[in-house]
Each structure stands twice: as structure tokens, then as C-alpha cells.
Amino acid sequence: MKQDKRAFMFISPHFDDVILSCASTLMELVNQGHTCKVLTVFGGCPSVRFQPGEIARQYAAEDLGLFEDEIEGDHLSILVARRLQEDQQAFRHLAGVQVEVLSFPDAIYRENKGQPYYRTEEDLFGLPDKQDEDIFLPKIEKYLQSCDLARKFTWVFPAISKHVDHQLLTKAGLRLMSQGYPVLFYSEFPYWQQYNEFLQDGWRQLELRNSVYTPVKRAAVLEYKTQLLGLFGEEAETKINNGDILSEAELFWIQETDTQVWRVFRAISSEPLQT
């Protein structure tokens, strides 16, 4: 029986998350005739009144090759523009994948009257700020719904990272699912090396491997030049090219009762599915 073609909406918190975590799966889904769109949520610039905190300065200095005391507000907008350009270059390697970037600001740029919610790395990987939970999350949820008024997509949300932006989107995915949207989740790389548990009942982890796409995935990841040092340390490019960093495995969480998605993922796996 001919397999039905489906449409998938992959949610990327930041400019690199989906390619790091799902690039091979995206390419095989497209190769088999499915529609794939990546929606990067936190792609906006900070407000002009924003005063960068410790973690914003640290990340900007690392990504731009500057000292922390050199960082000013303009540098943050320059960094966002550079990351967007890197993202566009990365997706050129993934022919057929649609891409959209939303203008919500990254957690390190969110503020109240110019003062950041998240000042330190501990804050960034802690609990989301109450204003993010009460005000920001409903805005995200409403916007996501507007992206799929016809409900044609199966939504693929991040699942396990402790980063506050990822936590917010995991909650958004669960909320959409409670409203009848078809939803599954992916484990974010490299975070799944530390955290790999999705604390929801009725879900099974699925491991996909498709080594034919590994060279393309490596080339796409290498486009995120501002992120390589922070993610993978010194000589990251050499390590990636040597196959020492990126995993061929891509991990997903699928509801045990979702037989349609099981069939799709079974069909795109070049090896027996690992569960």
C-alpha cells in the first residue's frame, strides 16, 4: 500500500537546534515525499533598551571573539544577524526543507524595563521566569496555532533540554497536543548527552540512524561558526570533520498509540528502529 504523505513542522528553539538534532531525519522525510518545515522561534533581536546581563555578555563575547567588557547593545543585534545568516547557509544544504524564523527574543535577551530575566547560566538552565510562563508562553502558543490554521502539520517539539527556551516549547507542545494537534518530540543534541528522559506517560523513545546523510549534516552544522566553540570546545571543526562529535543517532519520543507516525518513521529508517 502506498504510504500517505504527511507534513511535519519541526520547532527549533534557536538557529541550530533542529539541524544538530534532526537533520538526517529531515532529509529522509523530504526524500520520501513528505513536507518538512522548520520554525525557529527565538530568532528576534533584543529591545533597544535592553541592558545585557552576565550571560548575554559571556555568550556574545564568545560568539563574536570579543572581551566581555567590550560588549554593548549593538553587538547583540550584530550577533543575531550573524546567526540568522549562518542558519540560512546551513539550510542550503537541506534541499526541500522550508524555513521560517519568528521574532521572539532569545531568553538571554528577554527583559523587564531593560533588565534581563536570566542573568547567569544557572538562571538559563533553571526554572522559566514567571512572566515567561504567564505572559510569554501563551503568546508563543497563539502564534504557533496561527501557523497551522488548517491543522495539516504533525508538530515536532523539543523534549528534554533544561534550557528555559526549550522548556517553554516543550510545554507549548504539550498544550497543543491537549487541544487535538498531532504532536511528537525530539531529543535535542548535544543536551541529550546529559539529559535524556521525557517525563510524560505513554511515550516511547525511538532511535533513527541514517548514515547516508552524515556528510551533509556535518557540512550544515559547520555553518554555525559562532556556536562551535561554545558547543564543542577547541578544534570543533576538526573534531566534527573527523566524526568525533556528531552522533548518527537522532532520538524522538512518540506516543505509543500513534501508529501513523510509527509507520512513517519505520519507513524512513535505513536500519531497524531502536526503541
Side-chain angles (χ1 to χ4, degrees):
M1 181 180 294
K2 188 175 181 181
Q3 183 185 338
D4 291 336
K5 301 308 178 186
R6 299 174 68 89
F8 291 89
M9 181 86 78
F10 284 75
I11 304 302
S12 194
H14 308 109
F15 287 116
D16 51 7
D17 291 304
V18 157
I19 281 187
L20 282 166
S21 308
C22 309
S24 294
T25 300
L26 279 167
M27 285 184 275
E28 182 58 20
L29 284 168
V30 169
N31 187 52
Q32 296 211 9
H34 301 285
T35 297
C36 286
K37 182 173 183 177
V38 175
L39 196 63
T40 299
V41 176
F42 300 107
C45 290
S47 70
V48 293
R49 67 184 181 183
F50 178 69
Q51 299 296 316
E54 174 186 325
I55 191 63
R57 289 182 178 278
Q58 176 189 325
Y59 282 12
E62 185 176 82
D63 295 349
L64 295 173
L66 301 172
F67 294 106
E68 289 186 31
D69 59 6
E70 295 180 279
I71 297 300
E72 299 177 353
D74 288 347
H75 287 113
L76 306 182
S77 297
I78 291 170
L79 177 57
V80 172
R82 189 171 297 179
R83 294 200 64 186
L84 174 59
Q85 183 180 46
E86 291 173 348
D87 195 59
Q88 292 168 339
Q89 292 169 339
F91 274 102
R92 290 193 182 105
H93 296 275
L94 276 64
V97 177
Q98 303 169 29
V99 183
E100 183 176 352
V101 178
L102 306 185
S103 59
F104 295 110
D106 189 306
I108 59 175
Y109 306 142
R110 293 202 291 277
E111 44 83 17
N112 181 24
K113 298 180 179 179
Q115 298 304 308
Y117 294 164
Y118 307 103
R119 293 182 173 275
T120 67
E121 192 153 44
E122 183 178 12
D123 294 338
L124 197 59
F125 289 87
L127 294 175
D129 185 273
K130 190 175 187 303
Q131 293 185 79
D132 269 354
E133 290 272 13
D134 296 345
I135 301 172
F136 198 54
L137 181 54
K139 288 182 179 179
I140 294 171
E141 181 185 355
K142 183 177 180 181
Y143 197 99
L144 294 180
Q145 290 172 322
S146 75
C147 295
D148 189 19
L149 293 175
R151 296 200 178 198
K152 69 176 184 178
F153 286 98
T154 295
W155 292 74
V156 192
F157 283 87
I160 50 87
S161 172
K162 303 301 182 185
H163 189 294
V164 294
D165 284 344
H166 293 235
Q167 290 185 58
L168 289 171
L169 293 180
T170 301
K171 291 181 179 184
L174 292 169
R175 289 190 186 191
L176 262 64
M177 187 183 71
S178 72
Q179 297 164 30
Y181 289 82
V183 171
L184 58 142
F185 293 85
Y186 66 91
S187 293
E188 305 95 295
F189 185 84
Y191 297 113
W192 58 250
Q193 296 173 318
Q194 298 171 283
Y195 320 107
N196 204 6
E197 189 173 7
F198 184 46
L199 301 176
Q200 302 293 326
D201 294 332
W203 295 79
R204 292 174 63 187
Q205 188 180 77
L206 176 69
E207 179 180 312
L208 288 177
R209 292 179 181 269
N210 205 321
S211 59
V212 69
Y213 297 109
T214 299
V216 181
K217 182 174 180 176
R218 287 176 186 165
V221 169
L222 287 170
E223 299 289 2
Y224 295 107
K225 298 187 185 304
T226 62
Q227 304 305 297
L228 297 179
L229 176 63
L231 285 170
F232 304 122
E234 298 288 344
E235 299 183 358
E237 291 191 32
T238 300
K239 293 174 185 175
I240 290 172
N241 282 319
N242 290 342
D244 297 334
I245 291 179
L246 298 181
S247 172
E248 287 186 1
E250 297 185 346
L251 308 181
F252 297 85
W253 294 88
I254 298 179
Q255 278 189 300
E256 294 174 347
T257 56
D258 195 340
T259 57
Q260 290 182 324
V261 170
W262 276 106
R263 284 198 297 269
V264 170
F265 277 73
R266 188 161 55 241
I268 68 170
S269 180
S270 63
E271 303 178 18
L273 296 180
Q274 302 293 317
T275 60

PDB file of all heavy atoms in Angstrom, residues 192-215:
ATOM      1  N   TRP A 192      21.046  15.849  24.924  1.00  0.00           N
ATOM      2  CA  TRP A 192      20.658  14.503  25.327  1.00  0.00           C
ATOM      3  C   TRP A 192      21.831  13.675  25.818  1.00  0.00           C
ATOM      4  O   TRP A 192      21.657  12.565  26.331  1.00  0.00           O
ATOM      5  CB  TRP A 192      19.838  13.770  24.277  1.00  0.00           C
ATOM      6  CG  TRP A 192      20.346  13.525  22.887  1.00  0.00           C
ATOM      7  CD1 TRP A 192      19.872  14.122  21.755  1.00  0.00           C
ATOM      8  CD2 TRP A 192      21.308  12.566  22.438  1.00  0.00           C
ATOM      9  NE1 TRP A 192      20.488  13.610  20.640  1.00  0.00           N
ATOM     10  CE2 TRP A 192      21.379  12.647  21.026  1.00  0.00           C
ATOM     11  CE3 TRP A 192      22.133  11.651  23.089  1.00  0.00           C
ATOM     12  CZ2 TRP A 192      22.244  11.851  20.262  1.00  0.00           C
ATOM     13  CZ3 TRP A 192      22.990  10.856  22.335  1.00  0.00           C
ATOM     14  CH2 TRP A 192      23.043  10.965  20.942  1.00  0.00           C
ATOM     15  N   GLN A 193      23.035  14.198  25.716  1.00  0.00           N
ATOM     16  CA  GLN A 193      24.170  13.520  26.326  1.00  0.00           C
ATOM     17  C   GLN A 193      24.143  13.645  27.852  1.00  0.00           C
ATOM     18  O   GLN A 193      24.744  12.840  28.559  1.00  0.00           O
ATOM     19  CB  GLN A 193      25.479  14.101  25.775  1.00  0.00           C
ATOM     20  CG  GLN A 193      25.646  13.850  24.281  1.00  0.00           C
ATOM     21  CD  GLN A 193      26.852  14.554  23.707  1.00  0.00           C
ATOM     22  OE1 GLN A 193      27.141  15.710  24.034  1.00  0.00           O
ATOM     23  NE2 GLN A 193      27.584  13.873  22.844  1.00  0.00           N
ATOM     24  N   GLN A 194      23.429  14.666  28.345  1.00  0.00           N
ATOM     25  CA  GLN A 194      23.305  14.871  29.795  1.00  0.00           C
ATOM     26  C   GLN A 194      21.919  14.503  30.309  1.00  0.00           C
ATOM     27  O   GLN A 194      21.782  13.860  31.347  1.00  0.00           O
ATOM     28  CB  GLN A 194      23.571  16.349  30.128  1.00  0.00           C
ATOM     29  CG  GLN A 194      24.956  16.825  29.759  1.00  0.00           C
ATOM     30  CD  GLN A 194      25.050  18.336  29.908  1.00  0.00           C
ATOM     31  OE1 GLN A 194      24.557  19.097  29.070  1.00  0.00           O
ATOM     32  NE2 GLN A 194      25.673  18.771  30.981  1.00  0.00           N
ATOM     33  N   TYR A 195      20.888  14.923  29.585  1.00  0.00           N
ATOM     34  CA  TYR A 195      19.505  14.675  29.990  1.00  0.00           C
ATOM     35  C   TYR A 195      18.839  13.892  28.869  1.00  0.00           C
ATOM     36  O   TYR A 195      18.901  14.300  27.728  1.00  0.00           O
ATOM     37  CB  TYR A 195      18.736  15.985  30.189  1.00  0.00           C
ATOM     38  CG  TYR A 195      19.511  17.090  30.844  1.00  0.00           C
ATOM     39  CD1 TYR A 195      19.951  18.183  30.101  1.00  0.00           C
ATOM     40  CD2 TYR A 195      19.809  17.054  32.202  1.00  0.00           C
ATOM     41  CE1 TYR A 195      20.670  19.209  30.689  1.00  0.00           C
ATOM     42  CE2 TYR A 195      20.523  18.075  32.793  1.00  0.00           C
ATOM     43  CZ  TYR A 195      20.951  19.152  32.028  1.00  0.00           C
ATOM     44  OH  TYR A 195      21.658  20.156  32.613  1.00  0.00           O
ATOM     45  N   ASN A 196      18.212  12.801  29.210  1.00  0.00           N
ATOM     46  CA  ASN A 196      17.585  12.032  28.129  1.00  0.00           C
ATOM     47  C   ASN A 196      16.305  11.368  28.590  1.00  0.00           C
ATOM     48  O   ASN A 196      15.997  10.263  28.178  1.00  0.00           O
ATOM     49  CB  ASN A 196      18.551  10.988  27.581  1.00  0.00           C
ATOM     50  CG  ASN A 196      18.202  10.609  26.156  1.00  0.00           C
ATOM     51  OD1 ASN A 196      17.308  11.204  25.549  1.00  0.00           O
ATOM     52  ND2 ASN A 196      18.875   9.624  25.623  1.00  0.00           N
ATOM     53  N   GLU A 197      15.567  12.049  29.450  1.00  0.00           N
ATOM     54  CA  GLU A 197      14.330  11.486  29.955  1.00  0.00           C
ATOM     55  C   GLU A 197      13.190  12.459  29.684  1.00  0.00           C
ATOM     56  O   GLU A 197      13.268  13.635  30.032  1.00  0.00           O
ATOM     57  CB  GLU A 197      14.440  11.229  31.462  1.00  0.00           C
ATOM     58  CG  GLU A 197      13.264  10.441  32.021  1.00  0.00           C
ATOM     59  CD  GLU A 197      13.481  10.059  33.477  1.00  0.00           C
ATOM     60  OE1 GLU A 197      14.481  10.520  34.069  1.00  0.00           O
ATOM     61  OE2 GLU A 197      12.647   9.319  34.011  1.00  0.00           O
ATOM     62  N   PHE A 198      12.148  11.952  29.051  1.00  0.00           N
ATOM     63  CA  PHE A 198      10.964  12.746  28.766  1.00  0.00           C
ATOM     64  C   PHE A 198       9.896  12.326  29.770  1.00  0.00           C
ATOM     65  O   PHE A 198       9.377  11.210  29.709  1.00  0.00           O
ATOM     66  CB  PHE A 198      10.509  12.496  27.330  1.00  0.00           C
ATOM     67  CG  PHE A 198       9.340  13.342  26.887  1.00  0.00           C
ATOM     68  CD1 PHE A 198       9.305  14.704  27.145  1.00  0.00           C
ATOM     69  CD2 PHE A 198       8.282  12.784  26.196  1.00  0.00           C
ATOM     70  CE1 PHE A 198       8.245  15.484  26.735  1.00  0.00           C
ATOM     71  CE2 PHE A 198       7.214  13.556  25.774  1.00  0.00           C
ATOM     72  CZ  PHE A 198       7.199  14.909  26.049  1.00  0.00           C
ATOM     73  N   LEU A 199       9.593  13.218  30.684  1.00  0.00           N
ATOM     74  CA  LEU A 199       8.783  12.848  31.849  1.00  0.00           C
ATOM     75  C   LEU A 199       7.291  12.926  31.551  1.00  0.00           C
ATOM     76  O   LEU A 199       6.547  13.677  32.187  1.00  0.00           O
ATOM     77  CB  LEU A 199       9.154  13.746  33.041  1.00  0.00           C
ATOM     78  CG  LEU A 199      10.622  13.679  33.470  1.00  0.00           C
ATOM     79  CD1 LEU A 199      10.897  14.667  34.589  1.00  0.00           C
ATOM     80  CD2 LEU A 199      10.992  12.266  33.899  1.00  0.00           C
ATOM     81  N   GLN A 200       6.862  12.134  30.566  1.00  0.00           N
ATOM     82  CA  GLN A 200       5.449  12.059  30.227  1.00  0.00           C
ATOM     83  C   GLN A 200       5.069  10.593  30.056  1.00  0.00           C
ATOM     84  O   GLN A 200       5.843   9.800  29.506  1.00  0.00           O
ATOM     85  CB  GLN A 200       5.147  12.824  28.926  1.00  0.00           C
ATOM     86  CG  GLN A 200       5.531  14.293  28.958  1.00  0.00           C
ATOM     87  CD  GLN A 200       4.688  15.097  29.933  1.00  0.00           C
ATOM     88  OE1 GLN A 200       3.506  14.819  30.119  1.00  0.00           O
ATOM     89  NE2 GLN A 200       5.299  16.089  30.554  1.00  0.00           N
ATOM     90  N   ASP A 201       3.901  10.232  30.518  1.00  0.00           N
ATOM     91  CA  ASP A 201       3.445   8.854  30.402  1.00  0.00           C
ATOM     92  C   ASP A 201       2.993   8.559  28.969  1.00  0.00           C
ATOM     93  O   ASP A 201       2.465   9.423  28.270  1.00  0.00           O
ATOM     94  CB  ASP A 201       2.279   8.595  31.357  1.00  0.00           C
ATOM     95  CG  ASP A 201       2.691   8.681  32.821  1.00  0.00           C
ATOM     96  OD1 ASP A 201       3.878   8.400  33.111  1.00  0.00           O
ATOM     97  OD2 ASP A 201       1.837   9.024  33.662  1.00  0.00           O
ATOM     98  N   GLY A 202       3.181   7.305  28.546  1.00  0.00           N
ATOM     99  CA  GLY A 202       2.640   6.861  27.273  1.00  0.00           C
ATOM    100  C   GLY A 202       3.498   7.178  26.061  1.00  0.00           C
ATOM    101  O   GLY A 202       3.023   7.090  24.928  1.00  0.00           O
ATOM    102  N   TRP A 203       4.768   7.540  26.282  1.00  0.00           N
ATOM    103  CA  TRP A 203       5.656   7.867  25.171  1.00  0.00           C
ATOM    104  C   TRP A 203       6.819   6.883  25.145  1.00  0.00           C
ATOM    105  O   TRP A 203       7.303   6.442  26.174  1.00  0.00           O
ATOM    106  CB  TRP A 203       6.203   9.296  25.318  1.00  0.00           C
ATOM    107  CG  TRP A 203       5.142  10.345  25.228  1.00  0.00           C
ATOM    108  CD1 TRP A 203       4.271  10.712  26.209  1.00  0.00           C
ATOM    109  CD2 TRP A 203       4.829  11.152  24.101  1.00  0.00           C
ATOM    110  NE1 TRP A 203       3.437  11.707  25.763  1.00  0.00           N
ATOM    111  CE2 TRP A 203       3.755  12.001  24.465  1.00  0.00           C
ATOM    112  CE3 TRP A 203       5.346  11.251  22.805  1.00  0.00           C
ATOM    113  CZ2 TRP A 203       3.193  12.922  23.591  1.00  0.00           C
ATOM    114  CZ3 TRP A 203       4.793  12.170  21.936  1.00  0.00           C
ATOM    115  CH2 TRP A 203       3.731  12.990  22.327  1.00  0.00           C
ATOM    116  N   ARG A 204       7.271   6.550  23.936  1.00  0.00           N
ATOM    117  CA  ARG A 204       8.426   5.670  23.773  1.00  0.00           C
ATOM    118  C   ARG A 204       9.506   6.394  22.982  1.00  0.00           C
ATOM    119  O   ARG A 204       9.216   7.121  22.038  1.00  0.00           O
ATOM    120  CB  ARG A 204       8.023   4.386  23.037  1.00  0.00           C
ATOM    121  CG  ARG A 204       7.105   3.489  23.845  1.00  0.00           C
ATOM    122  CD  ARG A 204       6.638   2.321  23.009  1.00  0.00           C
ATOM    123  NE  ARG A 204       7.738   1.469  22.587  1.00  0.00           N
ATOM    124  CZ  ARG A 204       7.619   0.445  21.730  1.00  0.00           C
ATOM    125  NH1 ARG A 204       6.433   0.184  21.198  1.00  0.00           N
ATOM    126  NH2 ARG A 204       8.657  -0.289  21.410  1.00  0.00           N
ATOM    127  N   GLN A 205      10.740   6.143  23.376  1.00  0.00           N
ATOM    128  CA  GLN A 205      11.846   6.741  22.632  1.00  0.00           C
ATOM    129  C   GLN A 205      12.161   5.902  21.408  1.00  0.00           C
ATOM    130  O   GLN A 205      12.187   4.669  21.459  1.00  0.00           O
ATOM    131  CB  GLN A 205      13.095   6.866  23.504  1.00  0.00           C
ATOM    132  CG  GLN A 205      14.197   7.669  22.823  1.00  0.00           C
ATOM    133  CD  GLN A 205      15.429   7.805  23.670  1.00  0.00           C
ATOM    134  OE1 GLN A 205      16.205   6.873  23.783  1.00  0.00           O
ATOM    135  NE2 GLN A 205      15.596   8.962  24.284  1.00  0.00           N
ATOM    136  N   LEU A 206      12.408   6.593  20.319  1.00  0.00           N
ATOM    137  CA  LEU A 206      12.708   5.960  19.047  1.00  0.00           C
ATOM    138  C   LEU A 206      14.047   6.485  18.557  1.00  0.00           C
ATOM    139  O   LEU A 206      14.285   7.695  18.555  1.00  0.00           O
ATOM    140  CB  LEU A 206      11.607   6.312  18.042  1.00  0.00           C
ATOM    141  CG  LEU A 206      11.745   5.828  16.610  1.00  0.00           C
ATOM    142  CD1 LEU A 206      11.597   4.324  16.563  1.00  0.00           C
ATOM    143  CD2 LEU A 206      10.681   6.483  15.742  1.00  0.00           C
ATOM    144  N   GLU A 207      14.934   5.588  18.148  1.00  0.00           N
ATOM    145  CA  GLU A 207      16.250   5.988  17.658  1.00  0.00           C
ATOM    146  C   GLU A 207      16.351   5.716  16.165  1.00  0.00           C
ATOM    147  O   GLU A 207      16.164   4.590  15.710  1.00  0.00           O
ATOM    148  CB  GLU A 207      17.343   5.210  18.396  1.00  0.00           C
ATOM    149  CG  GLU A 207      18.752   5.545  17.932  1.00  0.00           C
ATOM    150  CD  GLU A 207      19.808   4.754  18.686  1.00  0.00           C
ATOM    151  OE1 GLU A 207      19.736   4.712  19.930  1.00  0.00           O
ATOM    152  OE2 GLU A 207      20.690   4.169  18.011  1.00  0.00           O
ATOM    153  N   LEU A 208      16.617   6.775  15.410  1.00  0.00           N
ATOM    154  CA  LEU A 208      16.799   6.659  13.963  1.00  0.00           C
ATOM    155  C   LEU A 208      18.272   6.832  13.613  1.00  0.00           C
ATOM    156  O   LEU A 208      18.956   7.697  14.168  1.00  0.00           O
ATOM    157  CB  LEU A 208      16.000   7.730  13.226  1.00  0.00           C
ATOM    158  CG  LEU A 208      14.479   7.607  13.177  1.00  0.00           C
ATOM    159  CD1 LEU A 208      13.891   8.802  12.452  1.00  0.00           C
ATOM    160  CD2 LEU A 208      14.067   6.327  12.490  1.00  0.00           C
ATOM    161  N   ARG A 209      18.738   6.034  12.681  1.00  0.00           N
ATOM    162  CA  ARG A 209      20.100   6.180  12.154  1.00  0.00           C
ATOM    163  C   ARG A 209      20.029   6.127  10.631  1.00  0.00           C
ATOM    164  O   ARG A 209      19.395   5.229  10.082  1.00  0.00           O
ATOM    165  CB  ARG A 209      21.024   5.074  12.665  1.00  0.00           C
ATOM    166  CG  ARG A 209      21.327   5.147  14.147  1.00  0.00           C
ATOM    167  CD  ARG A 209      22.232   4.006  14.576  1.00  0.00           C
ATOM    168  NE  ARG A 209      22.505   4.065  15.996  1.00  0.00           N
ATOM    169  CZ  ARG A 209      23.534   4.710  16.537  1.00  0.00           C
ATOM    170  NH1 ARG A 209      24.394   5.334  15.740  1.00  0.00           N
ATOM    171  NH2 ARG A 209      23.713   4.724  17.835  1.00  0.00           N
ATOM    172  N   ASN A 210      20.673   7.078   9.977  1.00  0.00           N
ATOM    173  CA  ASN A 210      20.722   7.072   8.529  1.00  0.00           C
ATOM    174  C   ASN A 210      22.041   7.705   8.099  1.00  0.00           C
ATOM    175  O   ASN A 210      22.124   8.913   7.872  1.00  0.00           O
ATOM    176  CB  ASN A 210      19.530   7.825   7.933  1.00  0.00           C
ATOM    177  CG  ASN A 210      19.210   7.338   6.539  1.00  0.00           C
ATOM    178  OD1 ASN A 210      20.118   7.050   5.770  1.00  0.00           O
ATOM    179  ND2 ASN A 210      17.924   7.234   6.222  1.00  0.00           N
ATOM    180  N   SER A 211      23.077   6.878   8.033  1.00  0.00           N
ATOM    181  CA  SER A 211      24.437   7.385   7.849  1.00  0.00           C
ATOM    182  C   SER A 211      24.671   8.017   6.479  1.00  0.00           C
ATOM    183  O   SER A 211      25.633   8.763   6.303  1.00  0.00           O
ATOM    184  CB  SER A 211      25.446   6.257   8.071  1.00  0.00           C
ATOM    185  OG  SER A 211      25.206   5.191   7.165  1.00  0.00           O
ATOM    186  N   VAL A 212      23.785   7.749   5.503  1.00  0.00           N
ATOM    187  CA  VAL A 212      23.996   8.305   4.167  1.00  0.00           C
ATOM    188  C   VAL A 212      23.990   9.831   4.194  1.00  0.00           C
ATOM    189  O   VAL A 212      24.625  10.484   3.345  1.00  0.00           O
ATOM    190  CB  VAL A 212      22.924   7.766   3.192  1.00  0.00           C
ATOM    191  CG1 VAL A 212      21.541   8.322   3.511  1.00  0.00           C
ATOM    192  CG2 VAL A 212      23.303   8.095   1.748  1.00  0.00           C
ATOM    193  N   TYR A 213      23.292  10.416   5.176  1.00  0.00           N
ATOM    194  CA  TYR A 213      23.195  11.877   5.238  1.00  0.00           C
ATOM    195  C   TYR A 213      24.253  12.524   6.136  1.00  0.00           C
ATOM    196  O   TYR A 213      24.285  13.740   6.271  1.00  0.00           O
ATOM    197  CB  TYR A 213      21.813  12.284   5.740  1.00  0.00           C
ATOM    198  CG  TYR A 213      20.698  11.851   4.825  1.00  0.00           C
ATOM    199  CD1 TYR A 213      19.835  10.824   5.195  1.00  0.00           C
ATOM    200  CD2 TYR A 213      20.518  12.446   3.585  1.00  0.00           C
ATOM    201  CE1 TYR A 213      18.819  10.410   4.345  1.00  0.00           C
ATOM    202  CE2 TYR A 213      19.507  12.046   2.726  1.00  0.00           C
ATOM    203  CZ  TYR A 213      18.661  11.018   3.119  1.00  0.00           C
ATOM    204  OH  TYR A 213      17.661  10.610   2.273  1.00  0.00           O
ATOM    205  N   THR A 214      25.103  11.721   6.747  1.00  0.00           N
ATOM    206  CA  THR A 214      26.068  12.266   7.708  1.00  0.00           C
ATOM    207  C   THR A 214      26.962  13.351   7.114  1.00  0.00           C
ATOM    208  O   THR A 214      27.170  14.397   7.747  1.00  0.00           O
ATOM    209  CB  THR A 214      26.926  11.134   8.301  1.00  0.00           C
ATOM    210  OG1 THR A 214      26.070  10.214   8.998  1.00  0.00           O
ATOM    211  CG2 THR A 214      27.960  11.682   9.273  1.00  0.00           C
ATOM    212  N   PRO A 215      27.523  13.177   5.914  1.00  0.00           N
ATOM    213  CA  PRO A 215      28.371  14.258   5.368  1.00  0.00           C
ATOM    214  C   PRO A 215      27.617  15.577   5.188  1.00  0.00           C
ATOM    215  O   PRO A 215      28.171  16.654   5.445  1.00  0.00           O
ATOM    216  CB  PRO A 215      28.838  13.690   4.017  1.00  0.00           C
ATOM    217  CG  PRO A 215      28.744  12.208   4.178  1.00  0.00           C
ATOM    218  CD  PRO A 215      27.538  11.977   5.033  1.00  0.00           C
TER     219      PRO A 215
END
